[in-house]
């Protein structure tokens, strides 16, 4: 039996679906035009160094010659909706060889950036080039997913034996992949976005694994495309690493993000490090803005944060120290008191995996009372998700330097230091550091429960409680921990930059 009897029906169905999608895309293009968005070529020109772009497959057109005039296809389906090539990015700041990159721009102005037969072939080709030449990739993902209506392809039923998604995912851990989105990104385009190592999207983005036509076709209801995966929502749930204001801002951020994987820069400056001595409050119960520590410690303007509103008790991002790129994780004591929850564990583990794959050393600024506990935490699969930090930490091959700003308690503190205080190439504390198997207050309540319950007067009980906490604090102070060799040193906060750099030099970085 052959498929010939049903072939005309399949073609007719493809064409009906294509007409439905064409109407949807025409509306989307009009809305995009009204927003004043830039063209694919304008984004490309803003991203790459002038005159450096070498294009692949420029003369491709949609596989629709059997139903459309070829001259029309040349103008209406130029490049089959995708621009691919190689270029240099940031060549003025880094070595020429390190500035080379592959670039992919899904062109929404051509068939709404949908993925057709030759579109996929171009995408496959540039992924092969990126792997063969060890090139990082920046991809603009705007588009509506798969494209019915490529009627020249008569030897396929479902068209699922393509390589593109596997080829893009296959680059994971081999070269850094940055996805940038503005506008609608649905179905196959969203799958490409989600597979990237780092995702940047503008506030005018809608990202979902299916667009309105597919949702309606599946009997799931009728939705406006702006109801599906709005950027603010996808930023909160961790799909988007960095939320940009507009396409120009997104492109600038892509260049900056890529730069950390391109090596050191020659020119840098930093803030007065003496400021660090006064950032931690004298009262150990008070929170403080740890981002101020990061921005003071790092080269001026070099801090780039990822997933800011997801897993908020751990900050992840990149900094430079004396021009050298460093990955950073830090506890935020203004969120859950710095306790490491399930979302933060997922976020940090994934971040460390990527940094390890691309040989970036890690700085951990630790200030945590431990893992977040309680029934609500367990409902979030805490056991599995928190344990991922230990698995990832044990697999690190890059040097990790730990600086304890204040609290270093329990399993959460160990998870912040690759699973053990013995794992970092150097573990130092500020004088404000304090250490223990669990938070001091909790340790007193558990360890001295009978003594506390024996005191009937509430005021006297509080006095006893505070005295016991103070005694435990004195036992767990940074200087005591260092004297027992649980950490390597207690340092002047103003010396932190130099200590971290010296530790990385000693480790070969």
């Amino acid at each position: 039996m052959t498929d010939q009897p049903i072939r005309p029906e399949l073609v007719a169905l493809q064409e009906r679906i294509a007409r439905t999608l064409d109407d949807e895309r025409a509306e989307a293009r009009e809305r995009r035009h009204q927003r004043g968005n830039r063209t694919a070529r304008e984004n490309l020109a803003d991203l790459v160094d002038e005159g450096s772009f070498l294009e692949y497959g420029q003369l491709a057109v949609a596989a629709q010659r059997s139903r459309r005039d070829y001259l029309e296809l040349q103008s209406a389906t130029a490049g089959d909706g995708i621009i691919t090539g190689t270029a240099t990015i940031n060549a003025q700041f880094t070595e020429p060889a390190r500035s080379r990159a592959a670039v992919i721009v899904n062109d929404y102005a051509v068939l709404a950036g949908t993925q057709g037969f030759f579109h996929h072939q171009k995408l496959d080709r540039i992924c092969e080039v990126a792997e063969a030449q060890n090139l990082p990739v920046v991809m603009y993902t705007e588009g509506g997913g798969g494209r019915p209506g490529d009627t020249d392809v008569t030897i396929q039923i479902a068209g699922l034996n393509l390589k593109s998604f596997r080829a893009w995912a296959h680059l994971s851990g081999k070269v850094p992949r940055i996805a940038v989105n503005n506008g609608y990104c649905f179905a196959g385009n969203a799958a490409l976005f989600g597979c990237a190592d780092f995702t940047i999207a503008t506030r005018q983005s809608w990202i979902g694994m299916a667009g309105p036509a597919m949702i309606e076709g599946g009997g799931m209801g009728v939705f406006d495309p702006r109801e599906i995966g709005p950027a603010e929502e996808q930023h909160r749930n961790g799909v988007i690493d960095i939320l940009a204001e507009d396409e120009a801002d997104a492109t600038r951020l892509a260049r900056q993000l890529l730069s950390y994987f391109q090596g050191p820069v020659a020119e840098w400056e930093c803030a007065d490090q003496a400021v660090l001595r006064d950032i931690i409050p004298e009262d150990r119960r008070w929170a403080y803005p740890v981002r101020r520590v990061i921005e003071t410690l790092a080269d001026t303007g070099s801090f780039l944060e990822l997933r800011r509103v997801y897993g908020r008790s751990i900050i992840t991002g990149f900094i430079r120290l004396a021009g050298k790129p460093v990955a950073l994780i830090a506890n935020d004591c203004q969120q859950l008191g710095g306790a490491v929850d399930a979302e933060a564990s997922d976020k940090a583990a994934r971040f460390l995996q990527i940094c390890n794959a691309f040989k970036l050393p890690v700085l951990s600024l630790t200030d945590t009372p431990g893992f977040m506990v309680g029934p609500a935490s367990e409902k979030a699969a805490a056991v599995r998700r928190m344990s991922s930090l230990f698995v990832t930490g044990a697999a690190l091959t890059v040097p990790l330097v730990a600086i304890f700003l204040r609290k270093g308690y329990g399993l959460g503190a160990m998870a912040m230091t690759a699973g053990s205080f013995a794992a970092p190439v150097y573990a130092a504390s500020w004088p404000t550091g304090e250490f223990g198997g669990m938070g001091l207050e909790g340790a007193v309540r558990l360890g001295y429960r009978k003594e506390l319950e024996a005191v009937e007067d509430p005021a006297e009980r509080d006095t006893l409680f505070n005295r016991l906490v103070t005694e435990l604090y004195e036992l767990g102070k940074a200087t005591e921990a260092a004297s027992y060799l649980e950490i390597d040193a207690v340092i002047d906060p103003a010396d932190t930059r130099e200590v971290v750099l010296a530790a990385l030099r000693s480790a070969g970085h």
Side-chain angles (χ1 to χ4, degrees):
M1 180 179 291
T2 71
D3 63 348
Q4 291 304 312
I6 63 170
R7 175 62 58 185
E9 296 178 14
L10 284 175
V11 172
L13 176 61
Q14 277 191 328
E15 291 182 344
R16 284 199 301 273
I17 295 172
R19 284 194 294 272
T20 300
L21 292 174
D22 282 345
D23 291 342
E24 181 182 297
R25 290 164 192 149
E27 294 176 9
R29 280 195 300 271
E30 179 59 27
R31 283 195 293 266
R32 192 177 194 279
H33 176 72
Q34 290 172 358
R35 294 200 306 267
N37 292 7
R38 302 193 304 183
T39 68
R41 294 283 175 181
E42 286 171 334
N43 281 327
L44 176 65
D46 198 18
L47 175 71
V48 306
D49 299 331
E50 186 175 358
S52 69
F53 186 62
L54 178 66
E55 187 165 357
Y56 285 60
Q58 183 179 13
L59 298 182
V61 297
Q64 299 176 8
R65 301 188 196 198
S66 61
R67 69 184 184 95
R68 299 176 66 177
D69 180 74
Y70 179 55
L71 291 178
E72 180 206 355
L73 291 173
Q74 286 180 310
S75 60
T77 72
D80 202 20
I82 188 169
I83 303 168
T84 62
T86 60
T88 64
I89 301 173
N90 298 324
Q92 68 273 37
F93 303 121
T94 189
E95 300 172 14
R98 288 181 173 270
S99 67
R100 297 187 64 241
V103 181
I104 301 165
V105 185
N106 288 271
D107 189 350
Y108 202 84
V110 177
L111 299 173
T114 49
Q115 301 164 348
F117 182 77
F118 294 112
H119 179 118
H120 278 297
Q121 288 197 332
K122 290 176 66 174
L123 179 55
D124 299 345
R125 168 71 167 146
I126 202 64
C127 286
E128 291 169 359
V129 169
E131 181 173 4
Q133 299 183 23
N134 196 35
L135 302 179
V137 188
V138 179
M139 179 192 292
Y140 289 76
T141 59
E142 186 178 14
R147 181 200 310 152
D150 274 6
T151 50
D152 295 352
V153 187
T154 59
I155 57 172
Q156 296 184 355
I157 298 296
L160 302 181
N161 60 336
L162 50 86
K163 300 186 295 182
S164 299
F165 301 102
R166 177 181 171 84
W168 175 240
H170 184 67
L171 296 177
S172 176
K174 298 181 179 180
V175 297
R177 298 164 303 144
I178 300 170
V180 181
N181 191 76
N182 178 70
Y184 300 124
C185 178
F186 296 138
N189 293 66
L192 295 172
F193 183 85
C195 280
D197 298 308
F198 303 104
T199 55
I200 303 170
T202 68
R203 295 184 182 277
Q204 291 294 308
S205 287
W206 295 268
I207 303 165
M209 291 304 291
M214 187 179 295
I215 293 171
E216 183 179 358
M220 304 296 290
V222 178
F223 295 90
D224 185 274
R226 288 166 291 187
E227 296 180 84
I228 303 167
E232 294 285 351
E233 178 180 277
Q234 300 288 36
H235 191 214
R236 285 194 304 272
N237 66 24
V239 169
I240 295 171
D241 289 322
I242 307 175
L243 189 62
E245 292 301 319
D246 52 30
E247 287 177 290
D249 188 38
T251 299
R252 177 191 64 79
L253 289 164
R255 289 198 308 269
Q256 181 180 351
L257 180 54
L258 180 60
S259 74
Y260 299 105
F261 300 92
Q262 295 176 317
V265 297
E267 297 182 7
W268 54 270
E269 58 183 27
C270 67
D272 179 5
Q273 297 299 290
V275 172
L276 295 174
R277 293 174 178 150
D278 301 316
I279 286 182
I280 306 293
E282 291 185 12
D283 189 330
R284 57 180 293 275
R285 297 169 298 179
W286 288 8
Y288 59 91
V290 72
R291 288 179 181 82
R292 188 180 171 208
V293 174
I294 296 168
E295 290 164 355
T296 302
L297 183 64
D299 293 354
T300 302
S302 71
F303 175 44
L304 181 63
E305 185 172 353
L306 307 178
R307 292 185 169 187
R308 179 163 183 152
V309 299
Y310 176 80
R312 298 178 72 164
S313 64
I314 295 183
I315 293 168
T316 58
F318 299 102
I319 62 172
R320 290 185 183 274
L321 296 174
K324 300 173 178 62
V326 176
L328 176 134
I329 59 174
N331 300 111
D332 186 353
C333 62
Q334 293 183 318
Q335 303 292 332
L336 303 177
V340 178
D341 68 354
E343 277 192 357
S345 299
D346 272 349
K347 167 182 167 179
R350 179 179 181 273
F351 176 73
L352 291 173
Q353 285 176 332
I354 294 172
C355 295
N356 191 54
F358 301 121
K359 309 304 180 188
L360 278 182
V362 180
L363 171 61
S364 174
L365 300 179
T366 303
D367 180 2
T368 180
F371 281 133
M372 190 68 187
V373 297
S377 180
E378 302 310 332
K379 287 180 181 179
V383 172
R384 173 65 66 183
R385 298 168 80 183
M386 291 175 180
S387 297
S388 67
L389 266 177
F390 289 104
V391 175
T392 301
L396 287 181
T397 58
V398 296
L400 180 145
V401 178
I403 302 295
F404 293 93
L405 305 182
R406 189 165 58 184
K407 296 179 181 179
Y409 288 110
L411 290 170
M414 294 168 68
M416 289 293 296
T417 58
S420 166
F421 284 13
V425 297
Y426 201 74
S429 176
W430 287 5
T432 46
E434 53 184 85
F435 299 87
M438 63 184 298
L440 296 184
E441 288 79 5
V444 169
R445 290 189 183 98
L446 287 176
Y448 295 90
R449 176 182 295 172
K450 290 183 178 180
E451 289 86 343
L452 291 168
E453 289 176 349
V455 179
E456 295 183 2
D457 182 71
E460 290 183 17
R461 190 184 307 121
D462 287 344
T463 299
L464 176 59
F465 176 81
N466 291 329
R467 179 173 63 79
L468 292 171
V469 168
T470 301
E471 290 174 0
L472 278 187
Y473 173 72
E474 291 298 321
L475 289 173
K477 287 173 63 175
T479 49
E480 286 296 302
S483 73
Y484 281 87
L485 304 183
E486 292 198 8
I487 57 175
D488 295 310
V490 178
I491 63 172
D492 181 344
D495 294 337
T496 303
R497 271 176 65 94
E498 292 308 314
V499 168
V500 173
L501 285 166
L504 293 178
R505 283 194 298 269
S506 71
H509 277 251

